[in-house]
Structure formats: structure tokens, C-alpha cells
Amino acid sequence: MSTPGEPVRIVPLADAAGRAAYAALVAASPQATPFHSLTHADAACSAFGLTGEIMLTREPEHGGPAAVGGVVFWRRRGPFRLAVVPPLTPYSGPLAAAPLADALTDPAPLYETGGGGPLGAWIAAVARRADAAEFNLPPTFADARPFVWAGWRASPRYTYAGPADWGGHVPRYVRHRVRDYSATRSDGTERPGGLRVRRDDGAAALVGRSAEAPFLRSGTRPPVPAAAAEALVRAHAAAGTVRIAVVERADGTPVGAVATAVDDRSGYVWTGSAEPGPGMLLLIADTAERLVVEGTGRLDLLGANLQAVSAFKRRLGFPLVASVRVAWTRSRVLRLREALRS
């Protein structure tokens, strides 16, 4: 817990005043995503046994949001205290109340790491409390140099993201494939063997099973149990920050489901899958159409760790967008362990 006069206020995730101040920051921040929300923080801590803390620079006297703040997720590994990125959390780390580019014109720069800069103070506060730490900064956190200047490591990550309206950038042959795979033709008649998509924001259990299915088919252990994925999706559904699409055969048998996390700016194709075939393409196409109707302008496919998945997403025509993972390790034992794994 922080003491009076410290530049960063640190409170448990359950602290009511801290939650209110952090919610105000999320509402103001151009970098915020649904994965920075209190809804996500509460669900991730519950699902994965983590401890959350809210860390905020001191709010200004006029009562506006803190300049910088974030939820830090802690877990223990033996004697070590680690600030981690929870599973199913594509983006994490600090938020700023203003666009980061604007900070360069501020009399007390947000980027300043040695003196009074709020971002530098936040980074230093994490480092004082952690034996190791990591965050997946969103693409809108365009400048990771404050972390590098503070001795953190930065490595690139990539996603495919762009306008949710497919008309201007998705290749024509992809749009034709969506049409050809659909169960209903443009004239309203049924196409034998086609698939249909239904929208069901209550289908969290099906999303959880769909997220687990590809790993079970390949005989590998899923990185996240179906129940944990379901719990996070269900929490977002209750908060209204998820859209679920289910793809099924003509007889109603589901062959996949995808949950897309949303805010007032973007949709993030988050978790779930479909059986091999056209199902995943139909799910993404229907989700994009739904977001456009709702007024959401941008769709983020959230990258890929597998080459085959990356190739599939690349064919959809969305631009490749870079983001950054930052990490810091105090312990020599942990640094040695990382070196042996690399």
C-alpha cells in the first residue's frame, strides 16, 4: 500500500474509491480496451487465482482522472512476486488519460522517467514491488520507450486490424467465399450443406468449448480450460461488452462459436473457434457486419501465434498492426531461467 506523498497510489482491486478513480481513467483513456476494464480484471482474478491491485498516479486537484494508471495482476512463484498478463488478456498495462503523442507538449512530460513524469513514476512503482513483470501494450500505446529507458525489454507483437466494414479492403474472393458458404442464397433459397450464423450473446459455454476444441482435436492440452474461458466471456456478456456468434449446420448442430469483446471504438475477435472448414470465416464476417450496424468502426483480429492461423487472418485483407510486449526481471534466478528457456 502506498503512503501519503508518494506519486502513485496503490490499492486492492476491491477498494471502492480506487475502482471509481480507475473507471474514470478507463473512460477517458484513448488506449483503453475491454481488457483494461474492471469487469475483465475481476473475472481474470477469479478465474486464474490472481491478486489485482489498482495503481494510479495522484489525481489532479480539479478532480479529473489520474494521468496514468492500471490494474496489475500478481501471482506467486515460490519466493517471487510476479506481475503477469492473465490468460485471455490480449492487452494489459498502464493507461494514460490523454493521447500519448500529446504528452510531449506537457510541461511535466508523461514520458519522463527520472523525475516527475507520471508514466515514469508508474513504471518505477511496479518495478519496486515486483521480482518480474510483463505487460502486453495495445497498439494505441504507440511509444514504449519509457519502459526501455527504465531498463525493461521490449519485443514486437502483431495483430491484423482495420475498418470493420469489409467493403473497402477485404479481397473480393473472400467476400464471394462468405456468400458461397452461407446456407441462404441471396435470393432467399436454401443452399444444401451451407452453414448459418446466429447471434447469441448468452452462448458463453459454447464459446468456452469451442476455444478448447482445436487443442483437444490435436491431442494437446488447452492453454485455458473451457470453464475459465466461459467465466470470462460470461462476465463480459453481463456487462454488455461482448458479442457472440454461433455457426451451425442446417439441422442446428453448432460447429463453432466466437466471442468478440467490444467498446465504443473497436471490436476484438477474442476467443472461440470453429471446426475445420468455412465456419470461422463466416463467424468473422457476421461479427464485422454486426459491429458496423452497431456503429463500431474498427475490428482487431488479435494476431496469431500459429503460422496457419496467421495465414488465414492475413487473407482477410486487414492491415498488419504492431504492438509491444514489455518485460522486466529483477531476480538473477528468474533471468537465468528465462535464458535457459530461450
Side-chain angles (χ1 to χ4, degrees), residues 22-33 36 65-67 69 94-100 138 140-141 263-265:
Y22 179 68
L25 174 61
V26 171
S29 175
Q31 302 94 41
T33 72
H36 291 94
L95 301 173
L100 294 178
T140 46
F141 204 106
D263 56 26
D264 59 356
R265 298 185 297 269

Coordinates of all heavy atoms in Angstrom, one line a residue, residues 22-33 36 65-67 69 94-100 138 140-141 263-265:
Y22 N -10.2 4.5 -11.1 CA -9.7 3.8 -12.3 C -10.8 3.8 -13.4 O -10.4 3.9 -14.6 CB -9.3 2.4 -11.9 CG -8.8 1.6 -13.0 CD1 -7.6 1.9 -13.6 CD2 -9.6 0.5 -13.5 CE1 -7.2 1.1 -14.7 CE2 -9.1 -0.2 -14.6 CZ -7.9 0.1 -15.2 OH -7.5 -0.6 -16.3
A23 N -12.0 3.6 -13.0 CA -13.1 3.6 -14.0 C -13.1 4.9 -14.8 O -13.4 5.0 -16.0 CB -14.5 3.3 -13.4
A24 N -12.9 6.0 -14.1 CA -12.9 7.4 -14.7 C -11.7 7.4 -15.7 O -11.8 8.0 -16.8 CB -12.8 8.5 -13.7
L25 N -10.6 6.8 -15.3 CA -9.4 6.8 -16.2 C -9.7 6.0 -17.5 O -9.4 6.4 -18.6 CB -8.2 6.3 -15.5 CG -6.9 6.1 -16.3 CD1 -6.5 7.4 -16.9 CD2 -5.8 5.5 -15.5
V26 N -10.3 4.8 -17.3 CA -10.6 4.0 -18.4 C -11.5 4.7 -19.4 O -11.4 4.7 -20.6 CB -11.2 2.7 -18.0 CG1 -11.8 1.9 -19.1 CG2 -10.2 1.8 -17.2
A27 N -12.5 5.4 -18.8 CA -13.5 6.2 -19.7 C -12.8 7.3 -20.5 O -13.2 7.6 -21.6 CB -14.6 6.7 -18.8
A28 N -11.7 7.8 -19.9 CA -11.1 9.0 -20.6 C -9.9 8.5 -21.5 O -9.6 9.3 -22.4 CB -10.5 9.9 -19.5
S29 N -9.4 7.3 -21.3 CA -8.1 7.0 -22.0 C -8.3 6.5 -23.4 O -9.1 5.6 -23.7 CB -7.5 5.8 -21.2 OG -6.3 5.4 -21.9
P30 N -7.6 7.1 -24.4 CA -7.6 6.7 -25.7 C -7.0 5.3 -25.9 O -7.2 4.6 -27.0 CB -6.8 7.7 -26.5 CG -6.7 8.9 -25.6 CD -6.7 8.3 -24.2
Q31 N -6.2 4.8 -25.0 CA -5.6 3.5 -25.1 C -6.4 2.3 -24.5 O -6.1 1.2 -24.7 CB -4.2 3.5 -24.4 CG -3.2 4.5 -24.9 CD -3.3 5.8 -24.0 OE1 -3.4 5.7 -22.8 NE2 -3.2 6.9 -24.7
A32 N -7.5 2.6 -23.9 CA -8.3 1.6 -23.2 C -8.9 0.6 -24.1 O -9.4 1.0 -25.2 CB -9.4 2.3 -22.3
T33 N -9.0 -0.6 -23.7 CA -9.7 -1.7 -24.4 C -10.6 -2.4 -23.4 O -10.5 -2.1 -22.2 CB -8.7 -2.7 -25.0 OG1 -8.1 -3.5 -23.9 CG2 -7.5 -2.0 -25.8
H36 N -8.9 -3.8 -20.4 CA -8.5 -2.9 -19.3 C -9.6 -2.7 -18.3 O -9.4 -2.0 -17.3 CB -8.0 -1.6 -19.8 CG -6.7 -1.7 -20.6 ND1 -6.7 -1.9 -22.0 CD2 -5.4 -1.7 -20.2 CE1 -5.4 -1.9 -22.4 NE2 -4.6 -1.8 -21.3
P65 N -9.5 12.7 -14.1 CA -8.9 11.3 -13.9 C -7.4 11.4 -13.7 O -6.8 12.4 -14.0 CB -9.2 10.7 -15.3 CG -9.4 11.8 -16.2 CD -10.0 12.9 -15.5
A66 N -6.9 10.4 -13.1 CA -5.4 10.3 -12.9 C -4.7 10.3 -14.3 O -5.3 9.9 -15.3 CB -5.1 9.0 -12.2
A67 N -3.5 10.9 -14.3 CA -2.8 11.0 -15.6 C -2.4 9.6 -16.1 O -2.5 9.4 -17.3 CB -1.5 11.8 -15.4
G69 N -2.6 5.2 -15.0 CA -3.0 4.1 -14.0 C -3.2 2.8 -14.7 O -3.3 2.7 -16.0
P94 N -0.4 -0.1 -18.3 CA -0.9 1.3 -17.9 C -1.7 1.9 -19.0 O -1.6 1.7 -20.2 CB 0.3 2.0 -17.6 CG 1.4 1.4 -18.5 CD 1.0 -0.1 -18.6
L95 N -2.6 2.8 -18.6 CA -3.3 3.7 -19.5 C -3.0 5.2 -19.2 O -2.7 5.5 -18.0 CB -4.9 3.5 -19.3 CG -5.4 2.1 -19.6 CD1 -6.9 2.0 -19.2 CD2 -5.2 1.7 -21.0
A96 N -3.1 6.0 -20.1 CA -3.0 7.5 -19.9 C -4.3 8.2 -20.2 O -5.1 7.7 -21.1 CB -1.9 8.0 -20.8
A97 N -4.5 9.3 -19.5 CA -5.8 10.0 -19.7 C -5.9 10.8 -21.0 O -6.9 11.3 -21.3 CB -6.0 10.9 -18.5
A98 N -4.7 10.9 -21.7 CA -4.7 11.6 -22.9 C -3.9 10.8 -24.0 O -3.2 9.9 -23.6 CB -4.0 13.0 -22.7
P99 N -4.0 11.2 -25.3 CA -3.2 10.6 -26.3 C -1.7 10.7 -25.9 O -1.3 11.8 -25.5 CB -3.6 11.3 -27.6 CG -4.9 11.9 -27.3 CD -5.0 12.2 -25.8
L100 N -0.9 9.7 -26.1 CA 0.5 9.7 -25.7 C 1.2 10.8 -26.5 O 2.2 11.4 -25.9 CB 1.1 8.4 -25.8 CG 0.5 7.3 -24.8 CD1 1.2 6.0 -25.1 CD2 0.7 7.7 -23.4
P138 N -1.3 -2.2 -25.8 CA -2.1 -2.2 -27.0 C -1.5 -1.3 -28.1 O -0.6 -0.5 -27.8 CB -3.4 -1.5 -26.6 CG -3.0 -0.7 -25.4 CD -1.9 -1.4 -24.7
T140 N -2.4 1.2 -29.6 CA -2.6 2.6 -29.3 C -1.6 3.2 -28.3 O -1.4 4.4 -28.2 CB -4.0 2.9 -28.8 OG1 -4.3 2.0 -27.7 CG2 -5.0 2.8 -29.9
F141 N -0.9 2.3 -27.6 CA 0.2 2.7 -26.7 C 1.4 2.7 -27.6 O 2.3 1.9 -27.6 CB 0.4 1.7 -25.6 CG 1.1 2.3 -24.4 CD1 0.3 2.6 -23.2 CD2 2.4 2.5 -24.4 CE1 1.0 3.1 -22.1 CE2 3.1 3.1 -23.2 CZ 2.3 3.3 -22.1
D263 N -15.9 -2.3 -27.3 CA -16.1 -1.0 -26.6 C -16.7 0.0 -27.6 O -17.2 -0.5 -28.7 CB -14.8 -0.4 -26.0 CG -13.7 -0.3 -27.0 OD1 -14.0 -0.1 -28.2 OD2 -12.5 -0.3 -26.6
D264 N -16.7 1.3 -27.3 CA -17.4 2.2 -28.3 C -16.6 2.5 -29.5 O -17.0 3.2 -30.4 CB -17.8 3.5 -27.5 CG -16.6 4.2 -26.9 OD1 -15.5 3.7 -27.0 OD2 -16.8 5.3 -26.4
R265 N -15.3 1.9 -29.6 CA -14.5 2.2 -30.7 C -14.2 1.0 -31.6 O -14.1 1.1 -32.8 CB -13.2 2.8 -30.3 CG -13.3 4.2 -29.6 CD -11.9 4.7 -29.2 NE -11.2 3.9 -28.3 CZ -11.2 4.0 -27.0 NH1 -11.9 4.9 -26.4 NH2 -10.5 3.2 -26.2

